[in-house]
Amino acid sequence: MISRPGDAVARIIIEAIDLWKEYSIGENTVPVLKGINLTVWEGEFVAIMGPSGAGKSTLMHILGCLDTPTKGRYVLDGEDVSLLDDYRLSKIRNKKLGFVFQAFYLVPWATALENVMLPFLYSDKVPPNAQETAVRALERMGMGDRLHYKPSQLSGGQQQRVAIARALVTNPSLILADEPTGNLDSNSSREVMALFQEMNKEGHTIVLITHDREVAAYASRRVLLRDGRIFDDEVP
Ligand code: ADP
Ligand code: MG
């Protein structure tokens, strides 16, 4: 179900207001994000698109509480996170966010199941059904027969399925994916995107970054970033 503006039960997951990110290089200040305004409602599947260097990853790092803006306000699932310190940001990440990256970032010595259980181990309290929940998440990704495989024993597409299971396992408010198909062949890429689409139909809010139109076509809303600004946005 997609909540839309005007809908009485609409819940805003991302509210970014005039976000700026500037880097100091020598004596110069270089703006990379130049006043981003973005609102994402619960249940949306948004693709952030744009050419290389547009600021997509910089924006994703801020939306993912991995970095803070130089200026502006960012409210994530009702909580203003613009000014939080690293410790508090890490708590928010663990509680509210799931990440999927181009390079998978699985722990190489751990099995698929152990990788998917990791977010529970980093949380304050490990739920009693952590293992069962992780098994179910892997089954959901079609990886039920690979629970005890190490990442090196899996194909790229299978590794990304494990990474998606890991992102989903804590039932986060928001799933963020940065070029999740960037290292995959076209078949695996389509399979992975079909899984994201299914997860979205089941109610997960997804923001996905890509420079690939074919990948972006799986989303229900496309936001075009160019030179640090939102150039176009299909607001629902
Ligand atoms: P995209 O993901 O769209 O390719 P990025 O967000 O990675 O773009 O980068 C946008 C711009 O910001 C690039 O010009 C890049 O050189 C610059 N940039 C990114 N990170 C830093 C940094 N830590 N210091 C200085 N410039 C940076
Ligand atoms: Mg990038």
Side-chain angles (χ1 to χ4, degrees), residues 1 4 23 25 44 54 60 62 65 83 107 116 125 128 135 142-143 151 164 171 182 208 216 219-220:
M1 188 188 77
R4 291 194 171 80
Y23 290 108
I25 300 180
E44 281 200 279
M60 149 115 174
I62 294 174
C65 298
L83 297 172
V107 177
V116 175
K125 221 170 66 191
V135 170
M143 294 293 293
I164 299 171
N171 197 23
L208 179 144
S220 48

Side-chain angles (χ1 to χ4, degrees), residues 42-217:
E42 182 173 33
E44 281 200 279
F45 183 1
V46 180
I48 295 179
M49 303 183 66
S52 178
K56 303 184 297 296
S57 293
T58 304
L59 178 59
M60 149 115 174
H61 284 132
I62 294 174
L63 297 180
C65 298
L66 295 158
D67 201 356
T68 47
T70 315
K71 280 184 279 188
R73 213 158 84 90
Y74 175 31
V75 182
L76 170 62
D77 197 15
E79 226 170 318
D80 191 333
V81 295
S82 336
L83 297 172
L84 297 185
D85 59 27
D86 285 348
Y87 175 75
R88 293 221 179 144
L89 286 178
S90 74
K91 289 281 169 205
I92 298 271
R93 284 200 298 274
N94 201 264
K95 200 168 80 185
K96 292 186 187 283
L97 299 170
F99 291 95
V100 180
F101 297 98
Q102 176 171 356
F104 320 136
Y105 292 133
L106 298 174
V107 177
W109 45 262
T111 65
L113 180 57
E114 287 162 350
N115 267 285
V116 175
M117 286 182 69
L118 273 182
F120 289 130
L121 303 182
Y122 291 133
S123 65
D124 293 334
K125 221 170 66 191
V126 182
N129 60 345
Q131 176 155 340
E132 195 189 316
T133 309
V135 170
R136 258 188 280 119
L138 279 161
E139 283 171 354
R140 189 69 198 75
M141 292 298 125
M143 294 293 293
D145 56 350
R146 296 283 192 281
L147 299 179
H148 306 293
Y149 283 55
K150 301 262 174 73
S152 63
Q153 299 168 317
L154 299 169
S155 71
Q158 290 170 331
Q159 289 183 60
Q160 199 60 305
R161 286 159 184 260
V162 175
I164 299 171
R166 181 183 57 186
L168 285 166
V169 77
T170 53
N171 197 23
S173 315
L174 174 65
I175 294 170
L176 285 167
D178 193 356
E179 303 277 5
T181 61
N183 283 354
L184 303 179
D185 60 65
S186 49
N187 263 338
S188 308
S189 173
R190 278 192 283 271
E191 284 169 17
V192 159
M193 289 314 300
L195 284 169
F196 274 114
Q197 208 168 38
E198 275 176 45
M199 294 307 109
N200 174 246
K201 287 208 178 99
E202 289 176 13
H204 292 283
T205 309
I206 302 170
V207 172
L208 179 144
I209 285 170
T210 184
H211 64 270
D212 184 333
R213 277 169 188 284
E214 212 177 302
V215 168

